Amino acid sequence: MADRAGEEERLAFLSRSEFFGGLDPEGLERVYRAARAHRLAPGEICFHQDDPADRLYLLVSGRMKLTQVTPDGRQVLLRFVEPGGMFGGIALFVRERYPAAAEAVSESELLSWDGPTMQELVQAEPKVALNVIQHLAAMVKSLQDRVRALSTERVEQRLARALLRLAAQSHGAAGPGEPRILRLTRQDLGELTGTTLYTVSRVLSRWESQGLIESGRERIVIRDPGRLAALVQDPEV
């Protein structure tokens, strides 16, 4: 009975995920049966940059981060993955290598599918194909926004925009008017926005003195999202 309850919980989770939402019960069963389960400890690597791209992953619980080492040796934080998020999607389309590494930030549970299996699912389930297209469109838009921000926005705008984006993606508890707690370091924020640690620290310290945020060793608490949103539009506010 417990196993069946766990399976039903997984099927319900799949029905809410970005790739498999909208599938009928039979389709969800097909997806679930094809999945492989994984558990990762904090700091454990799911895959390294340049490993063969052979599996697509769905984060069930915990948190992952995707990082990339540039040709000059700098590490860049590309994004965090929250429960329900997919990563490793390059395995769907080409026999390539992962362009980034995936590391567990906290204890994490994942499901994965190999590339050929996902290609079969895409062909068998039109809804999966549509979901994949929508996912790719959202990723392209996100990349375009980041390139534009790096090219045209001031540091204060980039930092404010990144904090608000992470707050919107976060699954932590925060009702209307409640502070949003983000689990990241100042170094993380610098890598996300192409900003030095010194500059991040200087800006966050100023915002803290103004009551916009609070910051600790590995967390940032957004106290006034409205004023942060105003900074995105006008960095001189």
Side-chain angles (χ1 to χ4, degrees):
M1 181 68 70
D3 289 345
R4 182 56 190 172
E7 181 177 325
E8 290 177 351
E9 184 178 340
R10 286 288 178 269
L11 290 172
F13 183 84
L14 286 174
S15 72
R16 298 189 299 270
S17 66
E18 56 185 325
F19 273 25
F20 307 121
L23 286 182
D24 59 26
E26 182 179 347
L28 290 172
E29 283 278 359
R30 183 183 299 114
V31 169
Y32 180 72
R33 298 301 177 198
R36 178 191 297 177
H38 311 257
R39 288 186 179 274
L40 299 177
E44 191 171 352
I45 301 298
C46 181
F47 53 76
H48 291 89
Q49 183 175 335
D50 293 327
D51 280 351
D54 56 2
R55 303 195 73 82
L56 168 76
Y57 293 87
L58 167 65
L59 183 60
V60 177
S61 64
R63 198 180 197 212
M64 303 290 297
K65 67 177 180 179
L66 303 184
T67 60
Q68 187 178 72
V69 176
T70 65
D72 62 359
R74 292 183 299 114
Q75 178 171 286
V76 178
L77 175 58
L78 300 179
R79 65 184 176 105
F80 288 105
V81 182
E82 304 289 349
M86 312 289 296
F87 62 98
I90 191 173
L92 267 174
F93 305 105
V94 290
R95 294 185 179 277
E96 275 287 349
R97 297 182 179 275
Y98 291 117
E103 177 184 343
V105 177
S106 59
E107 185 173 348
S108 299
E109 182 181 358
L110 307 98
L111 296 174
S112 76
W113 297 262
D114 62 42
T117 297
M118 278 302 304
Q119 289 173 6
E120 291 175 6
L121 290 170
V122 166
Q123 293 173 2
E125 299 287 350
K127 182 58 178 175
V128 175
L130 179 60
N131 290 344
V132 169
I133 291 171
Q134 291 174 336
H135 169 81
L136 292 175
M139 292 293 292
V140 169
K141 183 179 184 304
S142 176
L143 289 172
Q144 289 174 333
D145 289 344
R146 289 189 66 176
V147 170
R148 178 187 53 76
L150 288 171
S151 301
T152 64
E153 291 185 347
R154 296 181 56 172
V155 169
E156 291 86 347
Q157 289 175 293
R158 299 204 305 269
L159 293 174
R161 187 184 298 279
L163 290 176
L164 293 172
R165 183 179 71 250
L166 290 171
Q169 295 170 349
S170 173
H171 289 247
E178 295 180 358
R180 174 71 72 179
I181 300 174
L182 304 178
R183 295 172 293 154
L184 79 163
T185 66
R186 294 185 176 195
Q187 181 68 41
D188 290 337
L189 189 56
E191 291 179 6
L192 275 171
T193 57
T195 309
T196 66
L197 178 59
Y198 171 79
T199 301
V200 171
S201 297
R202 177 172 54 81
V203 173
L204 293 189
S205 294
R206 184 171 74 248
W207 287 354
E208 192 161 12
S209 70
Q210 296 170 348
L212 277 69
I213 64 162
E214 292 179 11
S215 63
R217 186 165 178 264
E218 294 186 0
R219 71 171 196 165
I220 296 174
V221 182
I222 298 178
R223 290 292 181 184
D224 196 334
R227 290 172 66 190
L228 278 182
L231 285 171
V232 172
Q233 303 303 320
D234 182 359
E236 299 301 331
V237 171

